[in-house]
Amino acid sequence: MSSQAERFEKKVTTQVLREMKARGEKIACLTAYDCTMAGLVDAAGIDVILVGDSVAMVVQGLDTTVTVTLEHMLYHAALVRRGVERALVVGDLPFMSYQVNVDDALRSAGRMVKEAGVEAVKVEGGEVVCEAVRRMVRVGIPVMGHLGLTPQSIHSFGTYKVRAREQEEADTLLRDAVLLEEAGAFAIVIEKVPSELAKEVAAAVQVPVIGIGAGPHVDGQILVSHDMLGLYTRFHPRFVRRYGSVAKDMQDAFCRYKADVRSLEFPNSDESY
Ligand code: KIV
């Protein structure tokens, strides 16, 4: 087998994710917004890298994801794509780039694939986006769904509390997951819902269900990299496990650098020409 073919064999595709679910192998997903971070995430063997519209909060310093534009997402997705060899790269379609009509959705998704090089897009919502999902899939663009606490709807929800605790909302979510699968979605993210509901959803569909704040009984997990690294510390949801204290490490490094500059410790003779 040629080395290019070998590389392709190792590449994560939507088919690989489906096989992982069938084998009961959990899928590990993280976000990235630039080439350096994406390269590190990819080298760690993470299966899916999402260029999330959470970029609004953890990079742009905003309070919600709703103001992110398609141009912002194209920019960040192109940076990420450059750093990744193995993981499946999924790009978030931002708020109002796919909801007005199916043509808009196709154009937005097409730009993410052609201009930024992502291999799939993610959209939020259930039945309401299914027509767009069907068309995107039919033209060859894999689509990941997103249900539960969908941050683009924060102004409707009015709160970041756990979703679908009530039976009616839980029934709708379960139905939406089935409809997304029927429309051709290759995976579904479910965010901040009770574990038992997430378990039911994962059992109801063949496609992988990726949880964030949705407990352990799903087919994989996703976290925002800046949250799990302890780099973004403005708030700390209960579902985020911190695997680092990067904000603290960076702050310490900046302080030590400043002290060295002030005291003429930096640069020394080895660091000079
Ligand atoms: O934008 C994002 O990072 C996301 C994940 C939290 C799933 O949608």
Side-chain angles (χ1 to χ4, degrees):
M1 196 186 301
S2 75
S3 64
Q4 193 166 357
E6 274 170 34
R7 260 204 306 280
F8 197 73
E9 283 298 301
K10 288 189 211 132
K11 179 87 183 82
V12 180
T13 62
T14 57
Q15 184 57 33
V16 167
L17 298 178
R18 188 180 268 265
E19 288 162 7
M20 287 175 77
K21 171 164 180 151
R23 285 198 300 273
E25 191 178 338
K26 300 290 182 188
I27 300 165
C29 318
L30 284 172
T31 63
Y33 317 97
D34 64 63
C35 182
T36 304
M37 181 80 90
L40 293 169
V41 173
D42 193 42
I46 298 299
D47 304 302
V48 176
I49 298 182
L50 171 69
V51 190
D53 59 4
S54 49
V55 70
M57 287 144 118
V58 301
V59 176
Q60 296 178 338
L62 297 167
D63 287 332
T64 77
T65 61
V66 297
T67 54
V68 174
T69 66
L70 184 59
E71 301 305 321
H72 295 156
M73 293 310 300
L74 287 166
Y75 174 74
H76 286 284
L79 303 188
V80 167
R81 194 67 200 87
R82 241 172 263 160
V84 178
E85 284 181 16
R86 176 186 170 272
L88 181 80
V89 178
V90 181
D92 250 343
L93 289 187
F95 185 51
M96 296 317 286
S97 71
Y98 59 93
Q99 290 95 336
V100 175
N101 57 51
V102 171
D103 290 351
D104 256 12
L106 282 175
R107 264 190 285 272
S108 301
R111 288 191 68 192
M112 286 293 278
V113 173
K114 289 192 67 149
E115 295 175 33
V118 302
E119 293 149 333
V121 296
K122 177 166 79 58
V123 295
E124 296 186 5
E127 186 175 12
V128 70
V129 295
C130 279
E131 196 191 340
V133 171
R134 197 167 289 112
R135 285 282 301 283
M136 288 187 274
V137 171
R138 206 178 290 159
V139 299
I141 301 175
V143 182
M144 177 181 257
H146 187 161
L147 297 170
L149 178 63
T150 44
Q152 292 177 8
S153 301
I154 189 60
H155 295 316
S156 296
F157 294 152
T159 165
Y160 281 102
K161 284 193 186 136
V162 177
R163 301 306 308 180
R165 280 201 193 277
E166 305 301 326
Q167 195 56 48
E168 195 181 337
E169 192 177 335
D171 290 345
T172 304
L173 192 148
L174 194 53
R175 187 169 158 271
D176 279 341
V178 172
L179 290 175
L180 280 170
E181 178 174 50
E182 280 170 11
F186 73 88
I188 302 168
V189 170
I190 46 174
E191 180 162 351
K192 217 169 175 185
V193 302
S195 299
E196 282 308 306
L197 172 62
K199 184 180 180 180
E200 253 187 272
V201 174
V205 294
Q206 302 296 309
V207 296
V209 171
I210 310 296
I212 171 163
H217 311 296
V218 284
D219 307 305
Q221 300 290 333
I222 184 162
L223 284 175
V224 169
S225 290
H226 287 53
D227 289 342
M228 58 85 78
L229 288 172
L231 176 56
Y232 180 76
T233 54
R234 266 179 66 192
F235 51 84
H236 186 176
R238 165 171 154 185
F239 62 77
V240 172
R241 182 179 296 179
R242 287 218 174 124
Y243 288 85
S245 339
V246 173
K248 188 180 171 307
D249 293 346
M250 288 174 75
Q251 198 76 66
D252 288 349
F254 298 147
C255 289
R256 284 193 289 116
Y257 165 73
K258 177 186 164 185
D260 286 354
V261 169
R262 291 273 205 269
S263 65
L264 304 184
E265 284 290 314
F266 176 81
N268 62 24
S269 56
D270 288 345
E271 292 155 342
S272 305
Y273 297 96

